[in-house]
Amino acid sequence: YVCSTWGNNHFKTFDGDIYQFPGICEYNFASDCQESYKEFSVHIQRALNSNNHPEIQYILITIKDFTVYLRPKLAVVDGRIVKTPYYSSGLLIESNDIYTKVYAKLGLILIWNQEDALMVELDSKFNNHTCGLCGDYNGVPIYNEFINGVASYNSITYGNLQKISKPNTKCEDPDETQALPSCNEHRNECERLLTSSAFADCRLRLNLELYIQACMQDKCACNGNEDSFCLCSTISEYSRQCSHAGGRPGEWRTQYFC
């Protein structure tokens, strides 16, 4: 029921595919697409921060007739800045120094760490009803996202299809021929980090291999510049998803690591 994005442009769809897409336009993250009247939509825009790491600049949510615009430490509803916790017919927005959370009665929970990581949980009544970077939520990996009829898409092509076209906005699509190279190095280190005793309660709750693959991609992309963004963002995501799935990760951060 959960779709997320984090770190170095990683995405995990509702159906469990993990891919990377480095676009910096505004994209449809997840929307209700089957009916002519959309019950909800979530758009995101990423940009590179001062350390050259991708972060989510803003999130634009429409729920029935409400429009919610989120930036770090700022919530705007229907054009008005609101204080949190904010409550209005079927919509609750909470925020603290670390997270912004939106609960919508129609069956959507959104949690953003005000930096790189966003998670959306959707009620199963939206099965097979969604579109966007989170996919179609039909329970089948790959199909209809990356293989649709006779067409097959790489992750960049798929991501570019989700762009929201806005007049007067100039932003380049990532080059579809430059799909990110796969990486088979660093498996031992990533496996060691993600199977440490702190994560014992997570093994049976999540698909470990998907996070090992994402960690390997991060290590390859870092090219030896071991900053905490490279190393820690996928491990943080694994820890968050484990908690969200009811697990209890132990204390994995130390004075010297992350």
Side-chain angles (χ1 to χ4, degrees), residues 39-68:
E39 289 207 40
F40 75 89
S41 68
V42 179
H43 294 178
I44 60 169
Q45 165 110 33
R46 266 205 173 78
L48 295 175
N49 66 14
S50 52
N51 301 325
N52 236 11
H53 296 144
E55 274 189 359
I56 296 170
Q57 265 193 318
Y58 67 78
I59 301 171
L60 189 60
I61 308 163
T62 53
I63 288 177
K64 303 243 161 126
D65 305 322
F66 285 99
T67 314
V68 179

PDB file of all heavy atoms in Angstrom, residues 39-68:
ATOM      1  N   GLU A  39     -10.190  12.067  -7.289  1.00  0.00           N
ATOM      2  CA  GLU A  39     -10.370  12.253  -5.843  1.00  0.00           C
ATOM      3  C   GLU A  39      -9.123  12.872  -5.219  1.00  0.00           C
ATOM      4  O   GLU A  39      -9.214  13.600  -4.243  1.00  0.00           O
ATOM      5  CB  GLU A  39     -10.682  10.920  -5.171  1.00  0.00           C
ATOM      6  CG  GLU A  39     -12.072  10.412  -5.513  1.00  0.00           C
ATOM      7  CD  GLU A  39     -12.619   9.514  -4.411  1.00  0.00           C
ATOM      8  OE1 GLU A  39     -12.413   9.815  -3.219  1.00  0.00           O
ATOM      9  OE2 GLU A  39     -13.250   8.519  -4.758  1.00  0.00           O
ATOM     10  N   PHE A  40      -7.950  12.524  -5.748  1.00  0.00           N
ATOM     11  CA  PHE A  40      -6.728  13.117  -5.179  1.00  0.00           C
ATOM     12  C   PHE A  40      -5.631  13.126  -6.237  1.00  0.00           C
ATOM     13  O   PHE A  40      -5.661  12.357  -7.207  1.00  0.00           O
ATOM     14  CB  PHE A  40      -6.251  12.309  -3.956  1.00  0.00           C
ATOM     15  CG  PHE A  40      -5.601  11.007  -4.346  1.00  0.00           C
ATOM     16  CD1 PHE A  40      -4.237  10.926  -4.597  1.00  0.00           C
ATOM     17  CD2 PHE A  40      -6.365   9.859  -4.500  1.00  0.00           C
ATOM     18  CE1 PHE A  40      -3.646   9.742  -5.000  1.00  0.00           C
ATOM     19  CE2 PHE A  40      -5.786   8.660  -4.908  1.00  0.00           C
ATOM     20  CZ  PHE A  40      -4.418   8.618  -5.152  1.00  0.00           C
ATOM     21  N   SER A  41      -4.657  13.998  -6.040  1.00  0.00           N
ATOM     22  CA  SER A  41      -3.412  13.911  -6.801  1.00  0.00           C
ATOM     23  C   SER A  41      -2.274  14.434  -5.941  1.00  0.00           C
ATOM     24  O   SER A  41      -2.486  15.285  -5.067  1.00  0.00           O
ATOM     25  CB  SER A  41      -3.498  14.701  -8.113  1.00  0.00           C
ATOM     26  OG  SER A  41      -3.564  16.079  -7.830  1.00  0.00           O
ATOM     27  N   VAL A  42      -1.090  13.896  -6.156  1.00  0.00           N
ATOM     28  CA  VAL A  42       0.107  14.342  -5.446  1.00  0.00           C
ATOM     29  C   VAL A  42       1.181  14.600  -6.495  1.00  0.00           C
ATOM     30  O   VAL A  42       1.552  13.690  -7.246  1.00  0.00           O
ATOM     31  CB  VAL A  42       0.618  13.253  -4.454  1.00  0.00           C
ATOM     32  CG1 VAL A  42       1.890  13.740  -3.746  1.00  0.00           C
ATOM     33  CG2 VAL A  42      -0.461  12.890  -3.439  1.00  0.00           C
ATOM     34  N   HIS A  43       1.650  15.845  -6.576  1.00  0.00           N
ATOM     35  CA  HIS A  43       2.736  16.203  -7.493  1.00  0.00           C
ATOM     36  C   HIS A  43       3.981  16.544  -6.670  1.00  0.00           C
ATOM     37  O   HIS A  43       3.848  17.066  -5.557  1.00  0.00           O
ATOM     38  CB  HIS A  43       2.377  17.444  -8.329  1.00  0.00           C
ATOM     39  CG  HIS A  43       1.240  17.218  -9.270  1.00  0.00           C
ATOM     40  ND1 HIS A  43       0.741  18.218 -10.083  1.00  0.00           N
ATOM     41  CD2 HIS A  43       0.499  16.114  -9.551  1.00  0.00           C
ATOM     42  CE1 HIS A  43      -0.252  17.727 -10.809  1.00  0.00           C
ATOM     43  NE2 HIS A  43      -0.419  16.467 -10.505  1.00  0.00           N
ATOM     44  N   ILE A  44       5.147  16.266  -7.219  1.00  0.00           N
ATOM     45  CA  ILE A  44       6.378  16.659  -6.521  1.00  0.00           C
ATOM     46  C   ILE A  44       7.325  17.352  -7.486  1.00  0.00           C
ATOM     47  O   ILE A  44       7.284  17.135  -8.700  1.00  0.00           O
ATOM     48  CB  ILE A  44       7.119  15.452  -5.898  1.00  0.00           C
ATOM     49  CG1 ILE A  44       7.537  14.422  -6.965  1.00  0.00           C
ATOM     50  CG2 ILE A  44       6.286  14.783  -4.827  1.00  0.00           C
ATOM     51  CD1 ILE A  44       8.489  13.364  -6.429  1.00  0.00           C
ATOM     52  N   GLN A  45       8.188  18.177  -6.914  1.00  0.00           N
ATOM     53  CA  GLN A  45       9.255  18.821  -7.690  1.00  0.00           C
ATOM     54  C   GLN A  45      10.547  18.679  -6.902  1.00  0.00           C
ATOM     55  O   GLN A  45      10.619  19.062  -5.733  1.00  0.00           O
ATOM     56  CB  GLN A  45       8.939  20.306  -7.871  1.00  0.00           C
ATOM     57  CG  GLN A  45      10.139  21.128  -8.329  1.00  0.00           C
ATOM     58  CD  GLN A  45      10.031  21.638  -9.742  1.00  0.00           C
ATOM     59  OE1 GLN A  45       8.945  21.932 -10.209  1.00  0.00           O
ATOM     60  NE2 GLN A  45      11.157  21.750 -10.411  1.00  0.00           N
ATOM     61  N   ARG A  46      11.546  18.119  -7.545  1.00  0.00           N
ATOM     62  CA  ARG A  46      12.864  17.990  -6.909  1.00  0.00           C
ATOM     63  C   ARG A  46      13.810  19.051  -7.440  1.00  0.00           C
ATOM     64  O   ARG A  46      13.634  19.550  -8.538  1.00  0.00           O
ATOM     65  CB  ARG A  46      13.482  16.632  -7.249  1.00  0.00           C
ATOM     66  CG  ARG A  46      13.245  15.542  -6.256  1.00  0.00           C
ATOM     67  CD  ARG A  46      14.358  14.495  -6.375  1.00  0.00           C
ATOM     68  NE  ARG A  46      14.268  13.502  -5.312  1.00  0.00           N
ATOM     69  CZ  ARG A  46      13.416  12.511  -5.299  1.00  0.00           C
ATOM     70  NH1 ARG A  46      12.542  12.382  -6.284  1.00  0.00           N
ATOM     71  NH2 ARG A  46      13.415  11.638  -4.307  1.00  0.00           N
ATOM     72  N   ALA A  47      14.849  19.345  -6.663  1.00  0.00           N
ATOM     73  CA  ALA A  47      15.924  20.206  -7.151  1.00  0.00           C
ATOM     74  C   ALA A  47      17.187  19.782  -6.430  1.00  0.00           C
ATOM     75  O   ALA A  47      17.123  19.056  -5.433  1.00  0.00           O
ATOM     76  CB  ALA A  47      15.613  21.671  -6.849  1.00  0.00           C
ATOM     77  N   LEU A  48      18.337  20.233  -6.928  1.00  0.00           N
ATOM     78  CA  LEU A  48      19.590  19.918  -6.244  1.00  0.00           C
ATOM     79  C   LEU A  48      19.827  20.965  -5.160  1.00  0.00           C
ATOM     80  O   LEU A  48      19.684  22.163  -5.408  1.00  0.00           O
ATOM     81  CB  LEU A  48      20.749  19.913  -7.240  1.00  0.00           C
ATOM     82  CG  LEU A  48      20.657  18.816  -8.313  1.00  0.00           C
ATOM     83  CD1 LEU A  48      21.784  18.955  -9.336  1.00  0.00           C
ATOM     84  CD2 LEU A  48      20.695  17.431  -7.685  1.00  0.00           C
ATOM     85  N   ASN A  49      20.191  20.519  -3.956  1.00  0.00           N
ATOM     86  CA  ASN A  49      20.462  21.481  -2.891  1.00  0.00           C
ATOM     87  C   ASN A  49      21.911  21.964  -2.966  1.00  0.00           C
ATOM     88  O   ASN A  49      22.640  21.629  -3.904  1.00  0.00           O
ATOM     89  CB  ASN A  49      20.124  20.880  -1.516  1.00  0.00           C
ATOM     90  CG  ASN A  49      21.046  19.714  -1.153  1.00  0.00           C
ATOM     91  OD1 ASN A  49      22.087  19.496  -1.786  1.00  0.00           O
ATOM     92  ND2 ASN A  49      20.665  18.964  -0.133  1.00  0.00           N
ATOM     93  N   SER A  50      22.345  22.734  -1.960  1.00  0.00           N
ATOM     94  CA  SER A  50      23.683  23.347  -2.033  1.00  0.00           C
ATOM     95  C   SER A  50      24.790  22.298  -2.048  1.00  0.00           C
ATOM     96  O   SER A  50      25.893  22.555  -2.527  1.00  0.00           O
ATOM     97  CB  SER A  50      23.873  24.304  -0.855  1.00  0.00           C
ATOM     98  OG  SER A  50      23.553  23.608   0.339  1.00  0.00           O
ATOM     99  N   ASN A  51      24.505  21.083  -1.542  1.00  0.00           N
ATOM    100  CA  ASN A  51      25.526  20.021  -1.604  1.00  0.00           C
ATOM    101  C   ASN A  51      25.412  19.192  -2.875  1.00  0.00           C
ATOM    102  O   ASN A  51      26.019  18.132  -2.981  1.00  0.00           O
ATOM    103  CB  ASN A  51      25.372  19.066  -0.412  1.00  0.00           C
ATOM    104  CG  ASN A  51      25.511  19.789   0.895  1.00  0.00           C
ATOM    105  OD1 ASN A  51      26.294  20.725   0.984  1.00  0.00           O
ATOM    106  ND2 ASN A  51      24.754  19.384   1.907  1.00  0.00           N
ATOM    107  N   ASN A  52      24.564  19.667  -3.804  1.00  0.00           N
ATOM    108  CA  ASN A  52      24.365  18.936  -5.056  1.00  0.00           C
ATOM    109  C   ASN A  52      23.630  17.613  -4.874  1.00  0.00           C
ATOM    110  O   ASN A  52      23.783  16.707  -5.677  1.00  0.00           O
ATOM    111  CB  ASN A  52      25.713  18.689  -5.750  1.00  0.00           C
ATOM    112  CG  ASN A  52      25.674  19.255  -7.146  1.00  0.00           C
ATOM    113  OD1 ASN A  52      24.739  19.986  -7.491  1.00  0.00           O
ATOM    114  ND2 ASN A  52      26.649  18.913  -7.964  1.00  0.00           N
ATOM    115  N   HIS A  53      22.859  17.507  -3.808  1.00  0.00           N
ATOM    116  CA  HIS A  53      22.051  16.309  -3.610  1.00  0.00           C
ATOM    117  C   HIS A  53      20.591  16.625  -3.938  1.00  0.00           C
ATOM    118  O   HIS A  53      20.122  17.715  -3.637  1.00  0.00           O
ATOM    119  CB  HIS A  53      22.126  15.836  -2.147  1.00  0.00           C
ATOM    120  CG  HIS A  53      23.500  15.418  -1.741  1.00  0.00           C
ATOM    121  ND1 HIS A  53      24.010  15.633  -0.488  1.00  0.00           N
ATOM    122  CD2 HIS A  53      24.486  14.807  -2.447  1.00  0.00           C
ATOM    123  CE1 HIS A  53      25.244  15.158  -0.431  1.00  0.00           C
ATOM    124  NE2 HIS A  53      25.552  14.658  -1.603  1.00  0.00           N
ATOM    125  N   PRO A  54      19.873  15.655  -4.528  1.00  0.00           N
ATOM    126  CA  PRO A  54      18.476  15.924  -4.862  1.00  0.00           C
ATOM    127  C   PRO A  54      17.604  15.993  -3.609  1.00  0.00           C
ATOM    128  O   PRO A  54      17.722  15.137  -2.719  1.00  0.00           O
ATOM    129  CB  PRO A  54      18.076  14.731  -5.738  1.00  0.00           C
ATOM    130  CG  PRO A  54      19.138  13.715  -5.579  1.00  0.00           C
ATOM    131  CD  PRO A  54      20.335  14.339  -4.972  1.00  0.00           C
ATOM    132  N   GLU A  55      16.779  17.014  -3.544  1.00  0.00           N
ATOM    133  CA  GLU A  55      15.820  17.128  -2.448  1.00  0.00           C
ATOM    134  C   GLU A  55      14.471  17.496  -3.033  1.00  0.00           C
ATOM    135  O   GLU A  55      14.402  18.076  -4.108  1.00  0.00           O
ATOM    136  CB  GLU A  55      16.245  18.232  -1.476  1.00  0.00           C
ATOM    137  CG  GLU A  55      17.212  17.725  -0.442  1.00  0.00           C
ATOM    138  CD  GLU A  55      17.492  18.733   0.669  1.00  0.00           C
ATOM    139  OE1 GLU A  55      16.929  19.853   0.620  1.00  0.00           O
ATOM    140  OE2 GLU A  55      18.260  18.384   1.561  1.00  0.00           O
ATOM    141  N   ILE A  56      13.410  17.203  -2.300  1.00  0.00           N
ATOM    142  CA  ILE A  56      12.080  17.580  -2.757  1.00  0.00           C
ATOM    143  C   ILE A  56      11.850  19.032  -2.364  1.00  0.00           C
ATOM    144  O   ILE A  56      11.907  19.379  -1.186  1.00  0.00           O
ATOM    145  CB  ILE A  56      11.011  16.662  -2.141  1.00  0.00           C
ATOM    146  CG1 ILE A  56      11.242  15.227  -2.647  1.00  0.00           C
ATOM    147  CG2 ILE A  56       9.611  17.142  -2.520  1.00  0.00           C
ATOM    148  CD1 ILE A  56      10.411  14.178  -1.944  1.00  0.00           C
ATOM    149  N   GLN A  57      11.629  19.884  -3.362  1.00  0.00           N
ATOM    150  CA  GLN A  57      11.425  21.313  -3.103  1.00  0.00           C
ATOM    151  C   GLN A  57      10.026  21.586  -2.603  1.00  0.00           C
ATOM    152  O   GLN A  57       9.822  22.344  -1.692  1.00  0.00           O
ATOM    153  CB  GLN A  57      11.578  22.072  -4.419  1.00  0.00           C
ATOM    154  CG  GLN A  57      12.925  22.628  -4.646  1.00  0.00           C
ATOM    155  CD  GLN A  57      12.845  23.613  -5.816  1.00  0.00           C
ATOM    156  OE1 GLN A  57      12.188  23.354  -6.822  1.00  0.00           O
ATOM    157  NE2 GLN A  57      13.499  24.727  -5.660  1.00  0.00           N
ATOM    158  N   TYR A  58       9.046  20.991  -3.277  1.00  0.00           N
ATOM    159  CA  TYR A  58       7.669  21.182  -2.836  1.00  0.00           C
ATOM    160  C   TYR A  58       6.816  19.992  -3.238  1.00  0.00           C
ATOM    161  O   TYR A  58       7.184  19.197  -4.115  1.00  0.00           O
ATOM    162  CB  TYR A  58       7.068  22.491  -3.374  1.00  0.00           C
ATOM    163  CG  TYR A  58       6.856  22.550  -4.876  1.00  0.00           C
ATOM    164  CD1 TYR A  58       5.778  21.909  -5.490  1.00  0.00           C
ATOM    165  CD2 TYR A  58       7.733  23.273  -5.690  1.00  0.00           C
ATOM    166  CE1 TYR A  58       5.591  21.980  -6.862  1.00  0.00           C
ATOM    167  CE2 TYR A  58       7.554  23.346  -7.064  1.00  0.00           C
ATOM    168  CZ  TYR A  58       6.474  22.691  -7.641  1.00  0.00           C
ATOM    169  OH  TYR A  58       6.296  22.754  -9.009  1.00  0.00           O
ATOM    170  N   ILE A  59       5.676  19.882  -2.559  1.00  0.00           N
ATOM    171  CA  ILE A  59       4.680  18.848  -2.856  1.00  0.00           C
ATOM    172  C   ILE A  59       3.357  19.562  -3.025  1.00  0.00           C
ATOM    173  O   ILE A  59       3.027  20.455  -2.244  1.00  0.00           O
ATOM    174  CB  ILE A  59       4.582  17.839  -1.686  1.00  0.00           C
ATOM    175  CG1 ILE A  59       5.950  17.193  -1.448  1.00  0.00           C
ATOM    176  CG2 ILE A  59       3.520  16.779  -1.959  1.00  0.00           C
ATOM    177  CD1 ILE A  59       6.019  16.357  -0.189  1.00  0.00           C
ATOM    178  N   LEU A  60       2.633  19.204  -4.063  1.00  0.00           N
ATOM    179  CA  LEU A  60       1.335  19.826  -4.335  1.00  0.00           C
ATOM    180  C   LEU A  60       0.281  18.722  -4.296  1.00  0.00           C
ATOM    181  O   LEU A  60       0.353  17.767  -5.063  1.00  0.00           O
ATOM    182  CB  LEU A  60       1.390  20.467  -5.721  1.00  0.00           C
ATOM    183  CG  LEU A  60       0.226  21.344  -6.129  1.00  0.00           C
ATOM    184  CD1 LEU A  60       0.061  22.513  -5.171  1.00  0.00           C
ATOM    185  CD2 LEU A  60       0.456  21.883  -7.532  1.00  0.00           C
ATOM    186  N   ILE A  61      -0.653  18.859  -3.372  1.00  0.00           N
ATOM    187  CA  ILE A  61      -1.657  17.804  -3.168  1.00  0.00           C
ATOM    188  C   ILE A  61      -3.033  18.390  -3.452  1.00  0.00           C
ATOM    189  O   ILE A  61      -3.337  19.489  -2.978  1.00  0.00           O
ATOM    190  CB  ILE A  61      -1.645  17.322  -1.699  1.00  0.00           C
ATOM    191  CG1 ILE A  61      -0.225  16.946  -1.278  1.00  0.00           C
ATOM    192  CG2 ILE A  61      -2.601  16.164  -1.477  1.00  0.00           C
ATOM    193  CD1 ILE A  61      -0.048  16.868   0.221  1.00  0.00           C
ATOM    194  N   THR A  62      -3.834  17.698  -4.225  1.00  0.00           N
ATOM    195  CA  THR A  62      -5.251  18.089  -4.281  1.00  0.00           C
ATOM    196  C   THR A  62      -6.050  16.923  -3.727  1.00  0.00           C
ATOM    197  O   THR A  62      -5.786  15.757  -4.057  1.00  0.00           O
ATOM    198  CB  THR A  62      -5.738  18.394  -5.711  1.00  0.00           C
ATOM    199  OG1 THR A  62      -5.404  17.274  -6.527  1.00  0.00           O
ATOM    200  CG2 THR A  62      -5.084  19.616  -6.292  1.00  0.00           C
ATOM    201  N   ILE A  63      -6.977  17.254  -2.839  1.00  0.00           N
ATOM    202  CA  ILE A  63      -7.846  16.246  -2.253  1.00  0.00           C
ATOM    203  C   ILE A  63      -9.263  16.767  -2.382  1.00  0.00           C
ATOM    204  O   ILE A  63      -9.586  17.810  -1.828  1.00  0.00           O
ATOM    205  CB  ILE A  63      -7.456  15.983  -0.798  1.00  0.00           C
ATOM    206  CG1 ILE A  63      -6.136  15.230  -0.819  1.00  0.00           C
ATOM    207  CG2 ILE A  63      -8.547  15.173  -0.099  1.00  0.00           C
ATOM    208  CD1 ILE A  63      -5.533  14.916   0.458  1.00  0.00           C
ATOM    209  N   LYS A  64     -10.062  16.079  -3.214  1.00  0.00           N
ATOM    210  CA  LYS A  64     -11.405  16.575  -3.553  1.00  0.00           C
ATOM    211  C   LYS A  64     -11.268  18.029  -4.011  1.00  0.00           C
ATOM    212  O   LYS A  64     -10.662  18.277  -5.032  1.00  0.00           O
ATOM    213  CB  LYS A  64     -12.352  16.410  -2.364  1.00  0.00           C
ATOM    214  CG  LYS A  64     -12.426  14.955  -1.897  1.00  0.00           C
ATOM    215  CD  LYS A  64     -13.812  14.366  -2.050  1.00  0.00           C
ATOM    216  CE  LYS A  64     -13.803  12.874  -2.034  1.00  0.00           C
ATOM    217  NZ  LYS A  64     -14.625  12.199  -1.127  1.00  0.00           N
ATOM    218  N   ASP A  65     -11.751  18.981  -3.187  1.00  0.00           N
ATOM    219  CA  ASP A  65     -11.673  20.373  -3.653  1.00  0.00           C
ATOM    220  C   ASP A  65     -10.576  21.185  -2.969  1.00  0.00           C
ATOM    221  O   ASP A  65     -10.470  22.381  -3.189  1.00  0.00           O
ATOM    222  CB  ASP A  65     -13.039  21.063  -3.448  1.00  0.00           C
ATOM    223  CG  ASP A  65     -14.132  20.276  -4.139  1.00  0.00           C
ATOM    224  OD1 ASP A  65     -13.857  19.753  -5.231  1.00  0.00           O
ATOM    225  OD2 ASP A  65     -15.237  20.151  -3.573  1.00  0.00           O
ATOM    226  N   PHE A  66      -9.792  20.543  -2.095  1.00  0.00           N
ATOM    227  CA  PHE A  66      -8.717  21.275  -1.413  1.00  0.00           C
ATOM    228  C   PHE A  66      -7.430  21.234  -2.221  1.00  0.00           C
ATOM    229  O   PHE A  66      -7.123  20.225  -2.844  1.00  0.00           O
ATOM    230  CB  PHE A  66      -8.372  20.607  -0.070  1.00  0.00           C
ATOM    231  CG  PHE A  66      -9.368  20.839   1.006  1.00  0.00           C
ATOM    232  CD1 PHE A  66     -10.319  19.873   1.305  1.00  0.00           C
ATOM    233  CD2 PHE A  66      -9.340  22.007   1.753  1.00  0.00           C
ATOM    234  CE1 PHE A  66     -11.233  20.066   2.323  1.00  0.00           C
ATOM    235  CE2 PHE A  66     -10.247  22.208   2.777  1.00  0.00           C
ATOM    236  CZ  PHE A  66     -11.200  21.237   3.056  1.00  0.00           C
ATOM    237  N   THR A  67      -6.651  22.307  -2.156  1.00  0.00           N
ATOM    238  CA  THR A  67      -5.291  22.279  -2.684  1.00  0.00           C
ATOM    239  C   THR A  67      -4.336  22.533  -1.528  1.00  0.00           C
ATOM    240  O   THR A  67      -4.486  23.516  -0.806  1.00  0.00           O
ATOM    241  CB  THR A  67      -5.073  23.414  -3.699  1.00  0.00           C
ATOM    242  OG1 THR A  67      -6.187  23.427  -4.576  1.00  0.00           O
ATOM    243  CG2 THR A  67      -3.824  23.202  -4.497  1.00  0.00           C
ATOM    244  N   VAL A  68      -3.378  21.646  -1.354  1.00  0.00           N
ATOM    245  CA  VAL A  68      -2.396  21.791  -0.275  1.00  0.00           C
ATOM    246  C   VAL A  68      -1.019  21.880  -0.912  1.00  0.00           C
ATOM    247  O   VAL A  68      -0.642  21.018  -1.715  1.00  0.00           O
ATOM    248  CB  VAL A  68      -2.434  20.563   0.676  1.00  0.00           C
ATOM    249  CG1 VAL A  68      -1.401  20.711   1.783  1.00  0.00           C
ATOM    250  CG2 VAL A  68      -3.836  20.378   1.258  1.00  0.00           C
TER     251      VAL A  68
END
